[in-house]
Amino acid sequence: MKELPFSSKSEILQYANSYNTPFYVYDQETVEAQCKELKQSFSWANEFQNYFAVKATPNPYILNIIKEQGFGVDCSSYAELLLAEATGFTKEEIFFTSNNTTLEEYQKAIQLGAIINFDDKSHLQLVKENIGLPEHVCFRYNPGSLRNGNDILGNPSSAKFGLTREQLFQGYAEAKSLGCTKFSLHTMIISNSLDEHELFQTAEMMFELVKELKTKLDISIRQVNLGGGIGIPYKPTDKPVSTISLGTKIQKLYENMMLSQNDFLPFKLCFECGRFITGPAGILITRIINKKTTHKNYLGVDASIANLLRPAMYGSYHHCSHITDTDCAPSAAKKKLSLRKLSVEESELKLNGSFYDVVGSLCENNDKLATDRHVGENVEIGDLLIFHDTGAHCSAMGFNYNGKLRCAEYIRKPCGELKLIKRAETYADLFSTLVWSRKLD
Ligand SMILES: *Cc1c(COP(=O)(O)O)cnc(C)c1O
């Protein structure tokens, strides 16, 4: 079992009675607590920064909560730069980690004074000739076969991101010869990792590179960005990463590898975690609208993978809690009592009969938010299903296939009240881009 995060059943029932399902709720206090935990874990560093990956939860209200915690933003597209600008992030509070980048995007990022993280060495020339190089540049390293990747990001050898080791050294040498004076180093090779050692190894690999860049090219790295990728416990059996323990291990490494060096200049340690900050802070509230049994048991909800793509995209698990109207009424207690009286056999039978695929209404068979899931006892049409840990990379991946409308998003303020931070799409929004003139008779 996984407890409902940050709110009670009765509170969620109240939300669902006040607003049309489906909708997302993000909890402000959870976002703040996650920021604080990360800051605390690296408070030993000379300087620390997390550039929140905007793509995880691209909403200015949320970005502002994160800004208040002293964090910056990691943008990977023109739209994300616009959001960062609108929220009030400036200059080196913005880290621009893009790929397959257009000149238009570079122009905007440079205009904002963002740190440009090059994903392609040849883009140094491109930017120099068309815009002018900024004095501070960063490169994204892809270690290829030197490291293993994971399911979401793939193996580094076949990942489209970054520069090879050889290109990396050439890139810095070239940037230096072109007049750049400040240098940073970046990598992002694992995603959603709960393996502390794997995360630690990234730091080790990067500190090693910092040393090599110093000895081979006499380049002092100002910022080491370890990327995102700190995972969260989606499954009830997942063990969360202790960022405090990870921080302590990286601190020791830093002291051993760096501080003991004579010509070493302290650098700013950075992450660009999105999921860790907002993932646990979000829930998707859906209602069961249909139920059927054919070769399997199905629960049809009013959300679909157009609202929550991750299960279909990566086979991701999002825990699902079942809430019924009677959960908070006096009759619920009675119901539970009578359940307890069932014989073992009977209750086992009941359990076997209550595994469901939770589906949306898209004409795609992978439109499943959960498969073979035991969501609870006595699941009925009209009940709520709450999908956990949907604060990052969920609503943001929403799409309009089959004319599905993206749902509303609310922030849960510390007083427990909900405030709308993104309204639901309307059919007028959906059709607003069609170029079509109806023939009038
Ligand atoms: C997606 C992404 C992140 C954020 O990843 P999380 O899993 O949310 O921490 C950070 N950096 C880059 C380059 C990314 O593409």
Side-chain angles (χ1 to χ4, degrees), residues 351-424:
L351 198 72
N352 286 335
S354 60
F355 279 82
Y356 295 96
D357 281 8
V358 180
V359 302
S361 57
L362 294 189
C363 293
E364 283 293 338
N365 193 43
N366 68 345
D367 182 15
K368 296 183 176 183
L369 303 181
T371 44
D372 301 315
R373 192 77 66 82
H374 175 65
V375 297
E377 304 295 337
N378 305 318
V379 184
E380 297 300 341
I381 290 174
D383 293 353
L384 300 175
L385 289 185
I386 313 303
F387 288 88
H388 296 221
D389 303 305
T390 50
H393 310 297
C394 289
S395 167
M397 283 188 187
F399 58 100
N400 289 121
Y401 191 54
N402 270 176
K404 294 297 158 189
L405 302 177
R406 271 168 281 209
C407 66
E409 298 174 45
Y410 296 85
I411 190 91
R412 180 181 179 272
K413 299 206 283 186
C415 61
E417 263 174 37
L418 295 195
K419 178 182 159 61
L420 183 69
I421 58 169
K422 189 177 183 189
R423 69 163 171 82

Side-chain angles (χ1 to χ4, degrees), residues 151-409:
D151 288 350
I152 294 184
L153 219 55
N155 202 306
S157 305
S158 52
K160 67 170 176 166
F161 307 110
L163 287 71
T164 66
R165 204 183 139 79
E166 199 185 357
Q167 290 168 344
L168 191 76
F169 281 83
Q170 290 165 354
Y172 283 107
E174 192 176 328
K176 199 175 170 186
S177 73
L178 293 174
C180 299
T181 53
K182 300 177 181 172
F183 304 95
S184 291
L185 174 65
H186 169 274
T187 198
M188 166 90 189
I189 45 176
I190 41 173
S191 187
N192 190 28
S193 175
L194 292 172
D195 182 344
E196 198 180 295
H197 185 65
E198 195 173 60
L199 294 160
F200 172 83
Q201 280 180 313
T202 299
E204 203 170 32
M205 174 186 89
M206 295 290 271
F207 292 2
E208 202 61 66
L209 270 175
V210 169
K211 283 168 76 170
E212 265 189 77
L213 284 164
K214 179 71 193 164
T215 44
K216 292 192 177 146
L217 301 175
D218 194 26
I219 278 178
S220 290
I221 295 293
R222 305 169 74 94
Q223 296 201 11
V224 175
N225 188 331
L226 302 179
I230 300 181
I232 55 170
Y234 285 106
K235 292 182 182 159
T237 48
D238 281 346
K239 203 169 153 278
V241 175
S242 162
T243 55
I244 295 283
S245 157
L246 176 66
T248 308
K249 284 182 184 146
I250 295 181
Q251 177 181 15
K252 286 206 184 97
L253 183 76
Y254 183 80
E255 285 165 1
N256 292 340
M257 276 179 76
M258 314 306 302
L259 290 185
S260 56
Q261 304 289 307
N262 292 334
D263 53 357
F264 165 73
L265 288 174
F267 54 73
K268 185 167 171 177
L269 186 65
C270 307
F271 280 98
E272 46 187 22
C273 291
R275 184 189 319 271
F276 182 80
I277 303 297
T278 51
I283 52 174
L284 172 63
I285 301 183
T286 72
R287 201 180 285 282
I288 299 171
I289 54 171
N290 284 299
K291 213 176 149 180
K292 88 168 180 181
T293 297
T294 52
H295 307 290
K296 293 186 88 171
N297 296 322
Y298 294 99
L299 292 173
V301 290
D302 53 10
S304 70
I305 59 165
N307 305 102
L308 176 54
L309 180 61
R310 296 188 72 254
M313 185 132 159
Y314 318 109
S316 309
Y317 178 97
H318 282 277
H319 195 72
C320 173
S321 293
H322 169 234
I323 301 181
T324 71
D325 263 335
T326 51
D327 270 340
C328 304
S331 60
K334 248 192 261 163
K335 209 164 98 187
K336 284 202 181 103
L337 245 167
S338 66
L339 261 180
R340 218 173 286 149
K341 282 189 198 143
L342 291 175
S343 71
V344 177
E345 269 162 274
E346 263 177 311
S347 55
E348 265 173 12
L349 256 178
K350 220 172 166 49
L351 198 72
N352 286 335
S354 60
F355 279 82
Y356 295 96
D357 281 8
V358 180
V359 302
S361 57
L362 294 189
C363 293
E364 283 293 338
N365 193 43
N366 68 345
D367 182 15
K368 296 183 176 183
L369 303 181
T371 44
D372 301 315
R373 192 77 66 82
H374 175 65
V375 297
E377 304 295 337
N378 305 318
V379 184
E380 297 300 341
I381 290 174
D383 293 353
L384 300 175
L385 289 185
I386 313 303
F387 288 88
H388 296 221
D389 303 305
T390 50
H393 310 297
C394 289
S395 167
M397 283 188 187
F399 58 100
N400 289 121
Y401 191 54
N402 270 176
K404 294 297 158 189
L405 302 177
R406 271 168 281 209
C407 66
E409 298 174 45

